[in-house]
């Protein structure tokens, strides 16, 4: 049987690991597409077309003329040359091409596994969730892009956060399956699930706030730390604005919340380390997560004070993957059930 065959399990493990690395690459390219303001360069979804880039000047002129119709070109990039357009076009093109490859690499091996090992189809069914979520991600990606084609100069930061959050969820699901199939040993002494889930929620909130901040270009303001240009609270808003319905549309307040959530995370992670010591758990299990948090904290500061240099901002986004996966190891080891 498939589940008992070391050789067959080996192929499934390899598939999951490669898929995990491909999703990381997707997140990296997606982040660079955002940081280079390239995401709106292709104004049509092209679900079954667009596999090849423009091959002649007429095709390039067509894509460029379509781009000239949207607000981003008219209000921000007016006068851009065709060669400049090609740079942002290729970032988005590579992102979409990679997305197609991920979809095929998710589905085709699953079909092969299912046909070859029909007696274990129930064991494989759970992996089809990955393909379903990858397809959903494609729809959400276009839903995000479409928000910047008619009235806005950029995509909606709310839709951007959904797109990034789903990508990270897919990544975490694959990583959980990897931990499961490699039969990672669990803790004998259990930690509080309530506390562990609370810390996970803080991590998720921080990632969503980071996506909001990126979508609002909020990292380009208040480029000082630990103060915000000499004060604790941003000086271009009032305290009452925190309870305003437009709270998450205000770049200054979103940056403030992103900072505060980071401090809260550090505080509760110190408590988590205390629980590890108190329960006499192997401290090695949390050191990796501690390192991930400290590196991410440092990269966040570096990104901010550098005025959001692309290299630091990209590493900061990838750092969220390091934080999530290292924390998932702790959650997995503390869990009682397998997916």
């Amino acid at each position: 049987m498939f589940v008992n065959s070391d050789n067959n399990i080996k192929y499934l493990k390899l598939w999951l690991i490669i898929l995990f690395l491909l999703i990381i690459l997707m997140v990296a390219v997606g982040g660079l597409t955002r940081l280079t303001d390239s995401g709106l360069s292709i104004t049509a979804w092209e679900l079954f077309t667009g596999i090849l880039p423009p091959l002649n000047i007429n095709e390039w002129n067509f894509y460029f003329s379509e781009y000239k119709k949207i607000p981003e070109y008219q209000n921000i990039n007016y006068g851009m040359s065709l060669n400049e357009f090609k740079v942002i076009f290729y970032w988005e093109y590579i992102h979409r091409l990679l997305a197609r490859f991920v979809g095929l690499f998710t589905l085709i091996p699953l079909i092969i596994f299912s046909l070859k090992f029909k007696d274990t189809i129930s064991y494989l069914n759970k992996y089809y969730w990955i393909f379903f979520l990858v397809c959903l991600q494609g729809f959400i990606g276009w839903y995000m892009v479409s928000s910047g084609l008619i009235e806005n100069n950029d995509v909606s930061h709310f839709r951007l956060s959904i797109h990034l959050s789903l990508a990270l969820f897919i990544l975490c699901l694959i990583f959980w399956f990897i931990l499961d199939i490699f039969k990672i040993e669990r803790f004998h002494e259990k930690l509080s699930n309530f506390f562990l889930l609370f810390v996970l929620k803080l991590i998720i909130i921080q990632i969503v706030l980071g996506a909001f901040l990126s979508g609002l270009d909020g990292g380009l303001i208040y480029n000082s730390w630990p103060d915000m240009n000499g004060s604790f609270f941003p000086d271009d808003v009032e305290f009452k604005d925190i309870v305003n319905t437009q709270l998450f549309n205000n770049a200054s307040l979103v940056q403030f919340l992103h900072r505060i959530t980071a401090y809260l995370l550090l505080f509760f992670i110190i408590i988590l380390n205390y629980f590890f010591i108190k329960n006499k758990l192997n401290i090695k299990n949390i050191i990796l997560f501690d390192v991930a948090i400290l590196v991410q904290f440092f990269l966040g500061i570096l990104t901010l004070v550098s005025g959001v240099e692309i290299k630091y901002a990209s590493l900061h986004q990838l750092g969220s993957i390091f934080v999530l996966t290292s924390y998932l190891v702790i959650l997995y080891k503390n869990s009682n059930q397998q997916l």
Side-chain angles (χ1 to χ4, degrees):
M1 289 182 67
F2 180 73
V3 292
N4 294 323
S5 170
D6 290 339
N7 190 51
N8 294 329
I9 287 290
K10 178 181 69 175
Y11 290 118
L12 184 54
K13 288 177 178 178
L14 181 62
W15 172 68
L16 286 170
I17 290 172
I18 294 175
L19 193 56
F20 177 75
L21 295 175
L22 281 173
I23 300 295
I24 292 177
L25 181 60
M26 274 289 297
V27 173
V29 173
L32 288 168
T33 301
R34 167 63 199 166
L35 289 167
T36 54
D37 292 322
S38 306
L40 297 176
S41 57
I42 303 177
T43 60
W45 190 9
E46 299 184 329
L47 183 58
F48 299 108
T49 58
I51 296 175
L52 295 176
L55 299 176
N56 55 60
I57 190 62
N58 290 331
E59 291 180 1
W60 275 116
N61 285 333
F62 170 76
Y63 278 102
F64 195 21
S65 65
E66 292 299 302
Y67 178 67
K68 289 179 178 180
K69 297 176 183 178
I70 69 172
E72 181 180 82
Y73 173 82
Q74 296 166 2
N75 300 326
I76 299 175
N77 290 332
Y78 188 80
M80 168 184 277
S81 68
L82 178 59
N83 285 334
E84 289 172 327
F85 171 72
K86 287 181 180 181
V87 174
I88 64 172
F89 176 92
Y90 273 119
W91 273 116
E92 177 64 9
Y93 169 75
I94 291 170
H95 187 51
R96 294 192 186 197
L97 192 65
L98 187 57
R100 287 183 170 98
F101 180 74
V102 168
L104 291 174
F105 188 78
T106 304
L107 180 61
I108 293 175
L110 274 175
I111 293 175
I112 294 172
F113 291 147
S114 298
L115 292 175
K116 191 173 182 180
F117 311 110
K118 294 180 180 179
D119 54 341
T120 57
I121 188 67
S122 60
Y123 178 77
L124 291 167
N125 279 344
K126 63 184 179 181
Y127 296 115
Y128 278 93
W129 278 107
I130 301 172
F131 177 68
F132 169 76
L133 291 172
V134 167
C135 291
L136 179 62
Q137 179 72 329
F139 282 99
I140 290 177
W142 175 247
Y143 176 66
M144 175 189 70
V145 169
S146 64
S147 67
L149 298 179
I150 300 175
E151 297 179 352
N152 302 315
N153 294 328
D154 209 341
V155 299
S156 162
H157 57 290
F158 294 108
R159 299 186 190 186
L160 173 67
S161 69
I162 295 172
H163 191 51
L164 175 62
S165 297
L166 182 56
L168 294 178
F169 179 77
I170 294 169
L171 193 74
C172 289
L173 180 63
I174 296 170
F175 188 66
W176 191 277
F177 285 150
I178 290 173
L179 294 175
D180 192 20
I181 201 169
F182 277 91
K183 302 185 185 303
I184 301 301
E185 184 181 358
R186 287 176 162 82
F187 295 143
H188 297 295
E189 297 289 335
K190 300 297 180 183
L191 298 169
S192 166
N193 280 323
F194 174 82
F195 183 78
L196 288 177
L197 291 176
F198 175 76
V199 173
L200 177 63
K201 289 174 183 177
L202 275 180
I203 293 172
I204 293 171
I205 289 170
Q206 182 68 336
I207 290 172
V208 170
L209 287 172
F212 284 173
L213 197 62
S214 175
L216 292 167
D217 291 323
L220 299 176
I221 57 176
Y222 293 104
N223 300 114
S224 62
W225 186 87
D227 61 290
M228 297 184 75
N229 291 356
S231 63
F232 174 73
F233 192 75
D235 57 15
D236 61 340
V237 293
E238 297 181 10
F239 190 77
K240 64 180 180 180
D241 293 326
I242 291 181
V243 294
N244 192 288
T245 56
Q246 297 300 308
L247 166 63
F248 296 114
N249 290 316
N250 188 312
S252 297
L253 285 176
V254 170
Q255 189 189 125
F256 174 74
L257 292 174
H258 194 53
R259 292 176 181 233
I260 293 301
T261 307
Y263 302 145
L264 282 174
L265 259 175
L266 285 175
F267 174 74
F268 284 108
I269 288 167
I270 291 172
I271 296 176
L272 180 60
N273 277 264
Y274 167 75
F275 284 160
F276 261 77
I277 296 171
K278 181 181 178 182
N279 287 278
K280 297 180 180 179
L281 297 173
N282 191 337
I283 199 67
K284 292 180 181 178
N285 290 306
I286 198 172
I287 286 177
L288 186 63
F289 176 60
D290 290 341
V291 170
I293 283 290
L294 291 175
V295 169
Q296 183 69 337
F297 193 82
F298 174 74
L299 285 172
I301 296 170
L302 200 56
T303 300
L304 185 68
V305 300
S306 70
V308 194
E309 282 191 31
I310 289 180
K311 59 184 177 182
Y312 300 132
S314 182
L315 286 172
H316 187 51
Q317 185 180 58
L318 290 175
S320 64
I321 295 175
F322 187 21
V323 169
L324 270 174
T325 51
S326 60
Y327 192 69
L328 275 184
V329 173
I330 295 172
L331 286 176
Y332 181 86
K333 285 174 171 283
N334 198 67
S335 66
N336 295 314
Q337 296 180 342
Q338 296 183 347
L339 289 179

